[in-house]
Short mmCIF file of all heavy atoms in Angstrom, two decimals:
data_model
loop_
_atom_site.label_atom_id
_atom_site.label_comp_id
_atom_site.label_asym_id
_atom_site.label_seq_id
_atom_site.Cartn_x
_atom_site.Cartn_y
_atom_site.Cartn_z
N TYR A 23 -46.27 -25.06 17.22
CA TYR A 23 -45.82 -24.54 18.50
C TYR A 23 -46.37 -23.13 18.73
O TYR A 23 -46.80 -22.80 19.84
CB TYR A 23 -44.28 -24.53 18.55
CG TYR A 23 -43.72 -23.92 19.80
CD1 TYR A 23 -43.75 -24.60 21.00
CD2 TYR A 23 -43.15 -22.64 19.77
CE1 TYR A 23 -43.24 -24.04 22.17
CE2 TYR A 23 -42.63 -22.07 20.92
CZ TYR A 23 -42.67 -22.77 22.11
OH TYR A 23 -42.17 -22.21 23.26
N ASP A 24 -46.37 -22.32 17.69
CA ASP A 24 -46.90 -20.96 17.81
C ASP A 24 -48.38 -20.99 18.17
O ASP A 24 -48.84 -20.22 19.01
CB ASP A 24 -46.68 -20.20 16.50
CG ASP A 24 -47.06 -18.73 16.62
OD1 ASP A 24 -46.57 -18.08 17.57
OD2 ASP A 24 -47.83 -18.25 15.78
N LYS A 25 -49.13 -21.90 17.56
CA LYS A 25 -50.55 -22.02 17.90
C LYS A 25 -50.72 -22.46 19.35
O LYS A 25 -51.58 -21.94 20.08
CB LYS A 25 -51.23 -23.02 16.95
CG LYS A 25 -52.68 -23.27 17.26
CD LYS A 25 -53.52 -22.02 17.09
CE LYS A 25 -55.00 -22.33 17.28
NZ LYS A 25 -55.86 -21.23 16.91
N HIS A 26 -49.89 -23.38 19.78
CA HIS A 26 -49.93 -23.85 21.18
C HIS A 26 -49.65 -22.69 22.14
O HIS A 26 -50.35 -22.51 23.13
CB HIS A 26 -48.90 -24.96 21.36
CG HIS A 26 -48.75 -25.45 22.75
ND1 HIS A 26 -49.70 -26.25 23.36
CD2 HIS A 26 -47.79 -25.26 23.67
CE1 HIS A 26 -49.32 -26.51 24.60
NE2 HIS A 26 -48.15 -25.93 24.80
N GLN A 27 -48.65 -21.90 21.81
CA GLN A 27 -48.31 -20.74 22.64
C GLN A 27 -49.43 -19.70 22.63
O GLN A 27 -49.70 -19.06 23.64
CB GLN A 27 -47.00 -20.11 22.17
CG GLN A 27 -45.77 -20.98 22.39
CD GLN A 27 -45.49 -21.24 23.85
OE1 GLN A 27 -45.98 -22.19 24.45
NE2 GLN A 27 -44.69 -20.36 24.44
N ALA A 28 -50.08 -19.54 21.50
CA ALA A 28 -51.18 -18.57 21.39
C ALA A 28 -52.33 -18.97 22.31
O ALA A 28 -52.93 -18.11 22.97
CB ALA A 28 -51.67 -18.49 19.95
N ARG A 29 -52.62 -20.24 22.37
CA ARG A 29 -53.70 -20.72 23.23
C ARG A 29 -53.39 -20.49 24.71
O ARG A 29 -54.30 -20.31 25.50
CB ARG A 29 -53.96 -22.20 23.00
CG ARG A 29 -54.66 -22.48 21.70
CD ARG A 29 -55.01 -23.93 21.58
NE ARG A 29 -55.72 -24.18 20.34
CZ ARG A 29 -55.68 -25.32 19.70
NH1 ARG A 29 -54.95 -26.33 20.16
NH2 ARG A 29 -56.36 -25.47 18.58
N LYS A 30 -52.12 -20.51 25.05
CA LYS A 30 -51.71 -20.33 26.45
C LYS A 30 -51.35 -18.89 26.77
O LYS A 30 -50.92 -18.59 27.88
CB LYS A 30 -50.49 -21.22 26.74
CG LYS A 30 -50.77 -22.69 26.67
CD LYS A 30 -49.49 -23.46 26.87
CE LYS A 30 -49.75 -24.55 27.88
NZ LYS A 30 -48.51 -25.17 28.34
N ASN A 31 -51.51 -17.98 25.80
CA ASN A 31 -51.14 -16.57 25.95
C ASN A 31 -49.68 -16.41 26.39
O ASN A 31 -49.37 -15.62 27.27
CB ASN A 31 -52.07 -15.85 26.93
CG ASN A 31 -53.43 -15.65 26.35
OD1 ASN A 31 -53.57 -15.36 25.17
ND2 ASN A 31 -54.45 -15.81 27.17
N LYS A 32 -48.81 -17.17 25.76
CA LYS A 32 -47.37 -17.11 26.06
C LYS A 32 -46.63 -16.54 24.86
O LYS A 32 -47.22 -16.24 23.82
CB LYS A 32 -46.85 -18.49 26.42
CG LYS A 32 -47.41 -19.00 27.73
CD LYS A 32 -46.61 -20.17 28.22
CE LYS A 32 -47.10 -20.56 29.62
NZ LYS A 32 -46.31 -21.65 30.15
N ARG A 33 -45.31 -16.42 25.03
CA ARG A 33 -44.47 -15.83 23.98
C ARG A 33 -44.59 -16.63 22.69
O ARG A 33 -44.52 -17.84 22.68
CB ARG A 33 -43.02 -15.82 24.46
CG ARG A 33 -42.15 -15.05 23.53
CD ARG A 33 -40.82 -14.77 24.15
NE ARG A 33 -40.06 -14.00 23.18
CZ ARG A 33 -38.76 -13.92 23.19
NH1 ARG A 33 -38.08 -14.52 24.12
NH2 ARG A 33 -38.14 -13.21 22.29
N ARG A 34 -44.75 -15.88 21.58
CA ARG A 34 -45.03 -16.47 20.28
C ARG A 34 -43.83 -16.40 19.35
O ARG A 34 -42.88 -15.68 19.59
CB ARG A 34 -46.19 -15.69 19.63
CG ARG A 34 -47.41 -15.46 20.51
CD ARG A 34 -48.41 -16.56 20.39
NE ARG A 34 -48.81 -16.81 19.03
CZ ARG A 34 -49.77 -16.17 18.38
NH1 ARG A 34 -50.45 -15.22 18.98
NH2 ARG A 34 -50.06 -16.48 17.14
N ILE A 35 -43.93 -17.14 18.26
CA ILE A 35 -42.95 -17.07 17.17
C ILE A 35 -43.29 -15.81 16.37
O ILE A 35 -44.43 -15.63 15.96
CB ILE A 35 -43.07 -18.29 16.23
CG1 ILE A 35 -42.99 -19.61 16.98
CG2 ILE A 35 -42.04 -18.20 15.11
CD1 ILE A 35 -41.64 -19.98 17.49
N PRO A 36 -42.32 -14.92 16.14
CA PRO A 36 -42.61 -13.72 15.35
C PRO A 36 -43.10 -14.08 13.94
O PRO A 36 -42.58 -15.01 13.31
CB PRO A 36 -41.28 -12.98 15.29
CG PRO A 36 -40.49 -13.51 16.45
CD PRO A 36 -40.95 -14.93 16.64
N GLU A 37 -44.07 -13.33 13.45
CA GLU A 37 -44.58 -13.58 12.09
C GLU A 37 -43.47 -13.46 11.06
O GLU A 37 -43.45 -14.23 10.09
CB GLU A 37 -45.71 -12.61 11.75
CG GLU A 37 -47.01 -12.95 12.39
CD GLU A 37 -48.16 -12.09 11.92
OE1 GLU A 37 -47.96 -11.21 11.05
OE2 GLU A 37 -49.27 -12.28 12.43
N ASN A 38 -42.56 -12.53 11.24
CA ASN A 38 -41.46 -12.38 10.28
C ASN A 38 -40.60 -13.63 10.20
O ASN A 38 -40.06 -13.94 9.14
CB ASN A 38 -40.62 -11.15 10.60
CG ASN A 38 -41.30 -9.86 10.22
OD1 ASN A 38 -42.22 -9.85 9.39
ND2 ASN A 38 -40.88 -8.76 10.81
N THR A 39 -40.46 -14.34 11.30
CA THR A 39 -39.73 -15.61 11.29
C THR A 39 -40.47 -16.63 10.44
O THR A 39 -39.86 -17.32 9.60
CB THR A 39 -39.54 -16.14 12.72
OG1 THR A 39 -38.81 -15.18 13.48
CG2 THR A 39 -38.80 -17.47 12.73
N LEU A 40 -41.77 -16.73 10.64
CA LEU A 40 -42.57 -17.66 9.84
C LEU A 40 -42.52 -17.28 8.35
O LEU A 40 -42.38 -18.16 7.49
CB LEU A 40 -44.02 -17.68 10.33
CG LEU A 40 -44.23 -18.24 11.74
CD1 LEU A 40 -45.69 -18.09 12.16
CD2 LEU A 40 -43.81 -19.70 11.82
N PHE A 41 -42.59 -15.99 8.06
CA PHE A 41 -42.54 -15.55 6.66
C PHE A 41 -41.17 -15.82 6.04
O PHE A 41 -41.08 -16.20 4.87
CB PHE A 41 -42.90 -14.07 6.53
CG PHE A 41 -44.34 -13.78 6.78
CD1 PHE A 41 -44.72 -12.71 7.56
CD2 PHE A 41 -45.33 -14.58 6.23
CE1 PHE A 41 -46.06 -12.43 7.78
CE2 PHE A 41 -46.68 -14.32 6.45
CZ PHE A 41 -47.04 -13.24 7.23
N PHE A 42 -40.10 -15.61 6.79
CA PHE A 42 -38.76 -15.90 6.26
C PHE A 42 -38.64 -17.39 5.94
O PHE A 42 -38.15 -17.77 4.87
CB PHE A 42 -37.67 -15.48 7.26
CG PHE A 42 -36.31 -15.90 6.82
CD1 PHE A 42 -35.67 -15.25 5.78
CD2 PHE A 42 -35.66 -16.96 7.44
CE1 PHE A 42 -34.41 -15.65 5.35
CE2 PHE A 42 -34.41 -17.37 7.02
CZ PHE A 42 -33.77 -16.71 5.98
N LEU A 43 -39.10 -18.23 6.86
CA LEU A 43 -39.02 -19.68 6.64
C LEU A 43 -39.92 -20.10 5.48
O LEU A 43 -39.56 -21.01 4.72
CB LEU A 43 -39.38 -20.43 7.92
CG LEU A 43 -38.38 -20.27 9.05
CD1 LEU A 43 -38.93 -20.85 10.34
CD2 LEU A 43 -37.04 -20.91 8.69
N GLN A 44 -41.03 -19.43 5.32
CA GLN A 44 -41.89 -19.68 4.16
C GLN A 44 -41.14 -19.33 2.88
O GLN A 44 -41.11 -20.11 1.94
CB GLN A 44 -43.18 -18.86 4.23
CG GLN A 44 -44.02 -19.00 2.98
CD GLN A 44 -45.06 -17.91 2.79
OE1 GLN A 44 -45.20 -17.02 3.62
NE2 GLN A 44 -45.79 -17.98 1.70
N PHE A 45 -40.51 -18.16 2.87
CA PHE A 45 -39.81 -17.69 1.68
C PHE A 45 -38.69 -18.64 1.26
O PHE A 45 -38.48 -18.84 0.06
CB PHE A 45 -39.26 -16.28 1.91
CG PHE A 45 -38.57 -15.74 0.70
CD1 PHE A 45 -39.29 -15.29 -0.39
CD2 PHE A 45 -37.19 -15.67 0.64
CE1 PHE A 45 -38.67 -14.79 -1.53
CE2 PHE A 45 -36.54 -15.18 -0.48
CZ PHE A 45 -37.28 -14.74 -1.57
N ILE A 46 -37.98 -19.21 2.21
CA ILE A 46 -36.84 -20.07 1.85
C ILE A 46 -37.25 -21.53 1.62
O ILE A 46 -36.41 -22.42 1.59
CB ILE A 46 -35.69 -19.98 2.89
CG1 ILE A 46 -36.12 -20.45 4.27
CG2 ILE A 46 -35.14 -18.56 2.93
CD1 ILE A 46 -34.97 -20.60 5.26
N GLY A 47 -38.55 -21.76 1.45
CA GLY A 47 -38.99 -23.09 1.03
C GLY A 47 -40.10 -23.72 1.85
O GLY A 47 -40.54 -24.82 1.53
N GLY A 48 -40.57 -23.06 2.87
CA GLY A 48 -41.55 -23.66 3.76
C GLY A 48 -43.00 -23.36 3.44
O GLY A 48 -43.88 -23.59 4.27
#
Side-chain angles (χ1 to χ4, degrees):
Y23 176 74
D24 187 52
K25 177 64 175 190
H26 175 74
Q27 292 296 89
R29 287 185 178 151
K30 295 176 133 191
N31 289 322
K32 292 195 174 183
R33 188 167 181 202
R34 311 270 306 274
I35 306 287
E37 284 187 2
N38 284 340
T39 300
L40 294 174
F41 289 136
F42 174 73
L43 293 170
Q44 174 198 359
F45 182 75
I46 62 170

